[in-house]
């Protein structure tokens, strides 16, 4: 693990301007234990702020309302970035999307390479859509546009 910095590097900020995904770790509101979920509706507002949206029914919403400390893990280049911060509601519900979503901003407190010493990613993980690709692209476009307005 490397030294932490207090905002995203230019490389990471640029990566988070386009389609990517991250693992969102929160503290479970019921068990008080750690939980991790993959999310894809996220982007960097600026080097010190990440924004993402989740379905309003998701237990992630309650988790972050009760304990706003989060970690987002992003794979980029040869690194695996752990972004620690405090989540806050940016807009609830998120406007101009077809179902209720909650939009959060994360104030970045620390960014570090979370890979073990001497390791690097030979290729970043990729994902594909298992459902209707056209419908997914339309929804992605609506959500990202709404998040940028929030």
């Amino acid at each position: 693990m490397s030294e932490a910095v207090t905002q995203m590097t230019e490389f990471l900020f640029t990566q988070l301007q386009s389609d990517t995904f991250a693992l969102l770790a929160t503290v479970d509101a019921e068990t008080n234990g750690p939980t991790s979920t993959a999310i894809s509706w996220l982007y960097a507002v600026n080097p010190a702020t990440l924004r993402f949206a989740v379905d309003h029914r998701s237990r992630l919403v309650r988790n972050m309302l009760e304990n706003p400390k989060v970690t987002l893990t992003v794979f980029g280049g040869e690194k695996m970035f752990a972004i620690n911060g405090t989540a806050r509601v940016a807009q609830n519900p998120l406007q101009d999307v077809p179902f209720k979503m909650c939009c959060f901003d994360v104030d970045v407190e620390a960014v570090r390479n979370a890979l073990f010493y001497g390791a690097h990613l030979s290729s970043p993980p990729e994902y594909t859509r298992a459902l209707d690709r056209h419908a997914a692209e339309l929804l992605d476009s609506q959500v990202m546009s709404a998040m940028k307005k929030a």
Side-chain angles (χ1 to χ4, degrees):
M1 207 180 302
S2 61
E3 290 291 317
V5 295
T6 58
Q7 63 182 20
M8 289 174 267
T9 63
E10 185 176 335
F11 171 84
L12 185 55
F13 176 77
T14 301
Q15 178 180 329
L16 290 169
Q17 296 304 300
S18 59
D19 186 34
T20 192
F21 76 98
L23 299 176
L24 172 62
T26 64
V27 177
D28 189 273
E30 290 180 22
T31 67
N32 214 28
T35 185
S36 183
T37 305
I39 62 170
S40 63
W41 292 316
L42 78 152
Y43 82 99
V45 176
N46 57 54
T49 310
L50 265 175
R51 179 170 290 165
F52 61 88
V54 294
D55 187 305
H56 194 269
R57 298 166 295 180
S58 170
R59 67 187 296 150
L60 293 170
V61 174
R62 180 173 168 213
N63 291 353
M64 290 181 286
L65 292 176
E66 293 200 18
N67 185 338
K69 294 296 187 181
V70 299
T71 299
L72 287 120
T73 303
V74 178
F75 304 90
E78 296 183 340
K79 298 180 180 179
M80 183 174 82
F81 297 96
I83 305 168
N84 302 96
T86 302
R88 58 187 160 77
V89 174
Q91 191 175 84
N92 185 20
L94 185 61
Q95 302 298 303
D96 303 322
V97 293
F99 57 91
K100 278 180 89 173
M101 299 188 74
C102 190
C103 184
F104 287 89
D105 281 352
V106 174
D107 298 318
V108 175
E109 296 164 5
V111 180
R112 45 177 66 82
N113 180 5
L115 283 173
F116 50 90
Y117 180 75
H120 71 274
L121 295 177
S122 55
S123 65
E126 295 180 11
Y127 68 93
T128 58
R129 303 274 185 197
L131 303 174
D132 181 339
R133 184 181 182 111
H134 176 71
E137 288 173 356
L138 178 61
L139 181 59
D140 286 350
S141 175
Q142 290 172 323
V143 172
M144 293 303 289
S145 178
M147 284 174 35
K148 290 179 180 181
K149 293 179 199 171

